[in-house]
Amino acid sequence: MQGHWLEFLGLMVAFGISAVIPGADFAMVLRQSIAHGRKAALFTSGGIATAILVHGSYTLLGMGVIVSQSILLFDILKYIGAAYLLYLAIATLRGPSPQPPADLEDHNPRAATAWGAFALGFLTNLLNPKAVLFFLALFTTLVGATTPGPIKVFYVVSMSLELFIWFVLVSVFFTMPQIRNGFFKLGRWFNRITGLTFILLAIRVAVARQH
């Protein structure tokens, strides 16, 4: 049992370090926090955390190995992911600049509704092809082959919870009035910067390789 706890701690530390590195998930939560407020950011965080459960599930079922070994499947996944990020970039660049809550008229209802925000977070994480290889690498190097299935499921759920807690903290921080108001002052530049970020992330996904 002690061996499993050490295995668990190693997995959580490795996953935690990767979680705090800014990427598409972080950019999306930041965007939602500033443009649509804390509720939207929290539901987006929930969508991201739920996608982790999907990644963990297919990894445990062995499908991650299939995708990692198939150039065709990996390329299909990465181009879908890149296209989705480009879609987010265009929507961001064409959208209205964030306004203070008292003046905000939401021009993107899907992004502001609870389930719309959840879907944005879920798809942003789910369509990341690197997640396939990342989960496979984590479980191959840090989780023993003899670790029982229920314990592996516990690992995946814990990773999802860890990521959710991190993005809840991100959401709370960026929706603090003094922080959010600073972004409002950027006006259209906020959309331009976040839109460019999504474009760069899309390019990064499109050129990703399996090894």
Side-chain angles (χ1 to χ4, degrees):
M1 192 65 181
Q2 182 179 2
H4 291 321
W5 279 113
L6 291 175
E7 188 175 76
F8 170 74
L9 290 175
L11 191 65
M12 294 296 283
V13 169
F15 183 72
I17 292 173
S18 70
V20 301
I21 299 174
D25 294 340
F26 185 90
M28 177 55 69
V29 174
L30 171 61
R31 169 71 187 171
Q32 291 288 83
S33 297
I34 305 305
H36 301 293
R38 185 167 296 177
K39 179 181 177 181
L42 291 176
F43 271 89
T44 300
S45 301
I48 292 170
T50 302
I52 292 298
L53 297 177
V54 178
H55 290 308
S57 296
Y58 65 62
T59 298
L60 296 184
L61 292 173
M63 290 186 289
V65 177
I66 297 175
V67 175
S68 69
Q69 297 300 318
S70 171
I71 296 177
L72 177 61
L73 288 178
F74 186 81
D75 283 348
I76 290 174
L77 180 60
K78 77 175 184 180
Y79 289 132
I80 291 175
Y84 181 68
L85 288 172
L86 282 176
Y87 160 76
L88 294 177
I90 294 171
T92 298
L93 291 170
R94 295 179 63 184
S97 60
Q99 300 293 326
D103 303 324
L104 181 62
E105 282 190 26
D106 195 346
H107 294 273
N108 188 358
R110 182 176 180 276
T113 62
W115 291 113
F118 180 91
L120 282 174
F122 182 78
L123 291 174
T124 299
N125 186 278
L126 185 70
L127 297 177
N128 184 355
K130 281 297 187 180
V132 181
L133 304 183
F134 176 71
F135 265 82
L136 186 62
L138 273 185
F139 276 81
T140 299
T141 58
L142 298 177
V143 179
T146 59
T147 300
I151 292 181
K152 291 180 180 179
V153 172
F154 171 73
Y155 290 168
V156 171
V157 173
S158 297
M159 293 163 71
S160 174
L161 182 60
E162 181 181 27
L163 190 63
F164 178 66
I165 291 173
W166 163 244
F167 281 119
V168 165
L169 294 175
V170 172
S171 301
V172 170
F173 176 77
F174 283 108
T175 52
M176 293 172 63
Q178 59 271 37
I179 301 297
R180 200 176 179 203
N181 288 336
F183 281 96
F184 287 146
K185 293 178 182 178
L186 292 174
R188 293 289 297 177
W189 279 104
F190 177 76
N191 285 11
R192 293 166 183 166
I193 293 171
T194 52
L196 177 61
T197 299
F198 283 129
I199 291 174
L200 293 175
L201 288 169
I203 295 173
R204 180 182 175 185
V205 168
V207 300
R209 296 184 178 181
Q210 290 169 294
H211 303 291

